[in-house]
């Protein structure tokens, strides 16, 4: 701006400009004359000029000094020395009646330089559209400090984030947090700054990633995220999700990218799919097992029918035969016993399939449990004698009415007694005891036979686990009796337990809750299922040869 142009501008606001110039009250000085000496900024010479100007003001009796300085000439290379000069001069002239307005070209300084300018002056005059606003620089400095603190907080927060954060363009990385160093395997940010983010992308995915970055920079991306692969520290590809947006980095276009390791998510998805496949396979297996169980049940019924016919025919022949030899009677007995064995096995198989299909129901009745257990005990007398054993029944009550299925209770007790007979040597003892404890009834079958090792006792209630397998193969057994007995007892709301010691015998205890059916009559237990007790015993003891 020329001398005349400045003078013309001032005349718009001040009358008698020439008078003020002539009397020395107004000076218009070129920045080349005031600030530069031989086209070079010299702080010491300029400081002397300020001293002379201040002395001129005082000598002429002026009330103060008002200065408007155009700093638009300042080059960035001279900024630091000029900033230091302003700081030193302002600390002196701030004590004088002096006002200086410095006009800076804001486009010629960066944000850090602007902060230093604000720090060296008391006020800042900003133009907002057509209006001027005067701000006290203390407030600006406080706001600057708050802004800086916020920036520091945000930076610290970014460092604490477990996801990788990058500020970058297509060629260079300007910023990264600790998570970014971890996922890439780079040791420090200085090393990262010499690299491009594209270098870390899997070669097969690199072209798609470069297109994605270009779309972000040009604001043409349809979606702000991309699924790709990043090469980690060990050279292994890592599945990542990239979320990106355009970012202004110190006035230059850049990309703010967030990288998230989604390997575990993909593994979860694969695991869920694997679970779905296994569930489908499980359902198919269950359906197949259901069909198999149904077939097994049907074939078991088919086996039982001819067995019953054979047994009936044997009974008729046995009644009608006359004068048959002893050998014939012996063979009839062998046939009958083995028919019983087959019938017992088929019955167990049928019940196992009913249990698996959840079709095993109890026919509860109010029965005298003492009478049931005592009659069952008496029905096995013949087998006890043949094995040269002693059997004793004892009870603390003569009558106890409870709700139970007499058919199934009979089956449980017969199974326990038959096991005791099988594994008790000749001249041994078997005790059957029923005790009424008020809230429950406990039926125990005790023997002084071979006993069961403690570590094997939990196996005896497993299906197809034969008790005698632990000691001897002299007795034949399917391994279904005790599992079915346990199920029956538990179906009654009770429990079955065992105490045993090798060489001293075993004691099985069945506990049944003392409950009765409302408005039900006591039921006779003479023949609960159509079989009499002897017939039941014959079936249950068919594995015991006499």
């Amino acid at each position: 701006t020329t001398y005349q142009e400045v003078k013309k501008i001032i005349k718009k606001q001040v009358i008698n400009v020439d008078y003020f110039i002539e009397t020395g009250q107004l000076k218009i000085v070129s920045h080349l004359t005031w600030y530069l000496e031989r086209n070079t900024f010299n702080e010491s010479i300029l400081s002397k000029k300020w001293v002379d100007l201040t002395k001129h003001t005082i000598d002429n009796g002026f009330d103060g000094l008002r200065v408007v300085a155009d700093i638009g000439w300042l080059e960035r290379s001279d900024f630091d020395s000029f900033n230091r000069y302003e700081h030193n001069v302002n600390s002196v002239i701030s004590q004088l009646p002096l006002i200086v307005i410095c006009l800076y070209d804001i486009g010629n300084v960066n944000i850090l330089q602007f902060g230093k300018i604000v720090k060296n002056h008391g006020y800042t005059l900003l133009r907002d559209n057509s209006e001027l606003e005067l701000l006290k620089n203390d407030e600006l400095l406080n706001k600057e400090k708050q802004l800086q603190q916020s920036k520091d907080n945000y930076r610290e927060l970014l460092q604490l984030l477990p996801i990788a954060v990058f500020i970058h363009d297509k060629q260079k990385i300007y910023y990264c947090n600790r998570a970014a160093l971890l996922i890439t395997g780079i040791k420090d940010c200085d090393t990262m700054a010499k690299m491009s983010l594209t270098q870390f992308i899997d070669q097969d995915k690199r072209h798609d990633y470069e297109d994605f970055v270009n779309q972000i920079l040009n604001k043409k991306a349809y979606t702000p995220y991309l699924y790709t692969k990043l090469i980690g520290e060990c050279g292994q590809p890592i599945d990542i999700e990239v979320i990106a947006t355009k970012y202004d980095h110190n006035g230059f276009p850049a990309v703010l990218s967030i990288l998230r390791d989604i390997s575990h998510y993909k593994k979860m998805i694969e695991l869920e799919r694997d679970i779905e496949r296994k569930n489908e396979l499980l359902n198919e297996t269950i359906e197949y097992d259901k069909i198999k169980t149904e077939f097994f049940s049907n074939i078991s019924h088919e086996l039982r029918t001819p067995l019953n016919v054979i047994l009936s025919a044997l009974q008729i022949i046995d009644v009608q035969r006359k004068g048959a030899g002893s050998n014939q009677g012996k063979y009839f007995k062998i046939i009958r016993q083995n028919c019983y064995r087959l019938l017992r096995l088929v019955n167990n198989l049928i019940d196992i399939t009913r249990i698996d299909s959840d079709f095993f129901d109890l026919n509860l009745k109010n029965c005298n449990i003492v009478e049931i257990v005592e009659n069952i005990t008496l029905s096995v007398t013949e087998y006890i004698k043949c094995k040269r054993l002693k059997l004793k029944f004892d009870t603390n009550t003569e009558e106890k009415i409870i709700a139970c299925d007499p058919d199934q209770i009979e089956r449980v007790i017969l199974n326990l007694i038959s096991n005791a007979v099988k594994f008790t040597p000749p001249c041994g003892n078997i005790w059957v005891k029923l005790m009424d404890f008020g809230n429950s009834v406990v039926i125990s079958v005790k023997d002084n036979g071979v006993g069961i090792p403690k570590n094997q006792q939990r196996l005896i209630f497993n299906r197809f686990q034969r008790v005698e397998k632990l000691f001897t193969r002299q007795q034949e057994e399917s391994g279904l009796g005790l599992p079915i007995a346990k199920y029956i007892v538990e179906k009654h709301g009770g429990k079955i337990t065992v105490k045993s010691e090798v060489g001293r015998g075993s004691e099985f205890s069945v506990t049944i809750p003392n409950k009765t059916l409302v408005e039900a009559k006591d039921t006779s237990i003479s023949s609960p299922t159509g079989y009499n007790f002897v017939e039941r015993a014959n079936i249950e003891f068919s594995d015991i040869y006499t």
Side-chain angles (χ1 to χ4, degrees):
T1 307
T2 64
Y3 176 87
Q4 293 299 331
E5 287 173 335
V6 173
K7 185 177 178 181
K8 184 178 178 180
I9 293 171
I10 295 173
K11 281 184 176 181
K12 293 180 180 180
Q13 305 293 332
V14 180
I15 302 174
N16 298 328
V17 172
D18 291 330
Y19 169 76
F20 288 112
I21 294 174
E22 291 173 3
T23 57
Q25 295 183 64
L26 173 63
K27 290 182 180 292
I28 300 175
V29 183
S30 168
H31 75 280
L32 296 173
T33 303
W34 182 259
Y35 286 111
L36 303 178
E37 185 70 25
R38 296 178 183 177
N39 291 327
T40 303
F41 175 73
N42 190 305
E43 180 181 349
S44 60
I45 293 176
L46 183 57
S47 298
K48 186 177 182 304
K49 290 179 181 179
W50 276 106
V51 172
D52 291 342
L53 183 60
T54 304
K55 187 175 181 300
H56 170 77
T57 302
I58 296 172
D59 292 343
N60 285 277
F62 297 148
D63 292 335
L65 183 62
R66 308 289 183 267
V67 179
V68 178
D70 183 1
I71 318 297
W73 59 271
L74 184 63
E75 300 292 338
R76 289 193 178 188
S77 58
D78 295 324
F79 180 84
D80 289 337
S81 58
F82 186 82
N83 178 70
R84 184 172 59 253
Y85 144 75
E86 272 198 323
H87 176 75
N88 294 333
V89 170
N90 288 348
S91 63
V92 177
I93 63 177
S94 62
Q95 308 298 322
L96 303 175
L98 178 65
I99 295 177
V100 181
I101 298 177
C102 299
L103 305 178
Y104 285 87
D105 182 0
I106 198 67
N108 203 30
V109 295
N110 60 36
I111 186 66
L112 295 177
Q113 292 170 338
F114 178 73
K116 293 179 180 179
I117 293 171
V118 170
K119 191 174 181 180
N120 285 333
H121 297 79
Y123 295 86
T124 297
L125 192 64
L126 299 175
R127 180 182 295 278
D128 183 12
N129 295 327
S130 60
E131 297 182 358
L132 292 174
E133 183 179 0
L134 185 65
L135 299 176
K136 193 173 182 180
N137 284 351
D138 288 344
E139 297 175 0
L140 283 178
L141 290 174
N142 288 334
K143 290 181 179 179
E144 182 186 12
K145 289 179 181 178
Q146 293 173 1
L147 180 61
Q148 186 61 43
Q149 183 64 43
S150 296
K151 289 181 179 179
D152 293 341
N153 291 340
Y154 282 125
R155 286 181 179 272
E156 184 62 28
L157 178 62
L158 288 175
Q159 292 297 330
L160 294 175
L161 285 177
I163 53 178
V165 179
F166 293 89
I167 297 175
H168 64 98
D169 56 22
K170 291 185 285 187
Q171 287 82 29
K172 189 175 180 180
I173 297 173
Y174 300 106
Y175 169 83
C176 68
N177 64 351
R178 282 192 288 268
L181 296 176
L182 289 173
I183 197 172
T184 57
I186 302 301
K187 294 182 178 179
D188 54 68
C189 294
D190 292 336
T191 304
M192 185 77 79
K194 300 174 184 177
M195 309 175 77
S196 71
L197 192 53
T198 308
Q199 292 177 243
F200 297 99
I201 302 300
D202 185 84
Q203 187 70 38
D204 295 336
K205 303 286 185 178
R206 196 166 291 177
H207 179 71
D208 292 338
Y209 177 74
E210 290 172 346
D211 288 345
F212 174 71
V213 172
N214 286 330
Q215 290 175 10
I216 293 295
L217 288 171
N218 297 323
K219 292 187 175 181
K220 293 182 179 180
Y222 294 107
T223 57
Y225 57 86
L226 174 73
Y227 295 105
T228 186
K229 289 183 181 291
L230 181 139
I231 304 301
E233 181 179 7
C234 300
Q236 295 296 324
I238 303 171
D239 292 301
I240 61 170
E241 178 189 45
V242 183
I243 302 175
T245 185
K246 190 174 182 180
Y247 182 79
D248 185 1
H249 180 69
N250 293 335
F252 297 98
V255 179
L256 173 63
S257 293
I258 296 174
L259 275 62
R260 188 165 62 111
D261 185 350
I262 59 171
S263 300
H264 57 292
Y265 289 110
K266 294 198 74 174
K267 289 180 181 178
M268 286 177 62
I269 292 172
E270 292 174 1
L271 183 60
E272 287 175 356
R273 289 174 180 170
D274 188 49
I275 291 173
E276 288 179 2
R277 288 194 296 268
K278 289 184 177 180
N279 282 337
E280 290 176 1
L281 182 61
L282 177 61
N283 290 333
E284 290 176 2
T285 304
I286 291 173
E287 185 63 27
Y288 173 76
D289 191 60
K290 184 178 178 182
I291 295 171
K292 183 181 69 174
T293 301
E294 185 177 351
F295 171 78
F296 203 14
S297 178
N298 291 336
I299 198 67
S300 297
H301 279 286
E302 293 298 321
L303 283 170
R304 186 165 65 176
T305 300
L307 280 173
N308 285 328
V309 173
I310 293 171
L311 282 171
S312 299
L314 280 172
Q315 289 174 353
I316 295 171
I317 293 172
D318 192 37
V319 171
Q320 292 181 349
R321 68 183 177 87
K322 295 178 181 180
S326 59
N327 288 337
Q328 187 178 3
K330 177 182 176 181
Y331 296 143
F332 269 109
K333 185 176 181 181
I334 293 171
I335 294 172
R336 184 184 296 109
Q337 182 169 5
N338 281 278
C339 284
Y340 283 144
R341 285 187 60 200
L342 286 173
L343 187 58
R344 179 173 182 266
L345 177 60
V346 170
N347 286 339
N348 285 342
L349 290 175
I350 291 173
D351 286 335
I352 282 294
T353 57
R354 287 167 62 197
I355 289 171
D356 288 339
S357 304
D358 199 24
F359 289 136
F360 193 101
D361 296 321
L362 297 178
N363 183 20
L364 295 178
K365 302 174 183 178
N366 287 338
C367 300
N368 184 359
I369 190 66
V370 180
E371 184 181 0
I372 293 175
V373 176
E374 185 175 10
N375 289 341
I376 293 170
T377 306
L378 293 174
S379 69
V380 300
T381 304
E382 179 182 352
Y383 292 95
I384 298 298
K385 290 180 180 179
C386 292
K387 295 289 287 185
R388 291 186 294 157
L389 299 174
K390 293 181 180 180
L391 177 63
K392 182 180 179 181
F393 174 76
D394 190 20
T395 178
N396 67 347
T397 182
E398 295 300 323
E399 183 180 71
K400 184 65 176 180
I401 305 299
I402 65 170
C404 67
D405 185 334
D407 188 15
Q408 301 302 333
I409 292 296
E410 175 189 339
R411 185 174 182 181
V412 171
I413 303 305
L414 280 174
N415 178 264
L416 296 180
I417 296 176
S418 69
N419 286 338
V421 172
K422 291 175 188 177
F423 302 109
T424 302
C427 302
N429 294 282
I430 300 173
W431 297 271
V432 179
K433 184 184 292 186
L434 186 149
M435 302 297 291
D436 181 8
F437 291 102
N439 293 329
S440 63
V441 172
V442 177
I443 307 165
S444 63
V445 178
K446 182 179 179 181
D447 64 67
N448 57 354
V450 294
I452 306 168
K454 190 171 184 179
N455 62 342
Q456 299 288 339
Q457 291 175 19
R458 61 183 180 84
L459 300 176
I460 61 177
F461 293 107
N462 295 342
R463 292 184 187 182
F464 309 109
Q465 177 65 56
R466 292 179 291 204
V467 179
E468 71 279 1
K469 183 180 178 182
L470 305 173
F471 308 103
T472 176
R473 289 304 305 261
Q474 295 178 358
Q475 304 291 346
E476 297 298 332
E477 173 66 46
S478 66
L480 295 175
L482 283 175
I484 293 175
K486 180 175 182 288
Y487 180 84
I488 291 171
V489 173
E490 291 177 350
K491 193 79 171 174
H492 278 82
K495 63 179 181 178
I496 184 170
T497 58
V498 60
K499 294 179 183 179
S500 187
E501 187 177 343
V502 175
R504 301 192 65 177
S506 304
E507 180 179 6
F508 287 83
S509 298
V510 174
T511 303
I512 302 175
N514 183 10
K515 296 180 181 178
T516 56
L517 299 178
V518 180
E519 297 181 357
K521 296 181 180 179
D522 296 348
T523 305
S524 171
I525 48 85
S526 59
S527 181
T529 61
Y531 290 112
N532 57 40
F533 286 120
V534 175
E535 190 76 9
R536 275 280 188 183
N538 288 336
I539 295 174
E540 190 63 40
F541 282 70
S542 58
D543 288 337
I544 302 172
Y545 291 92
T546 58

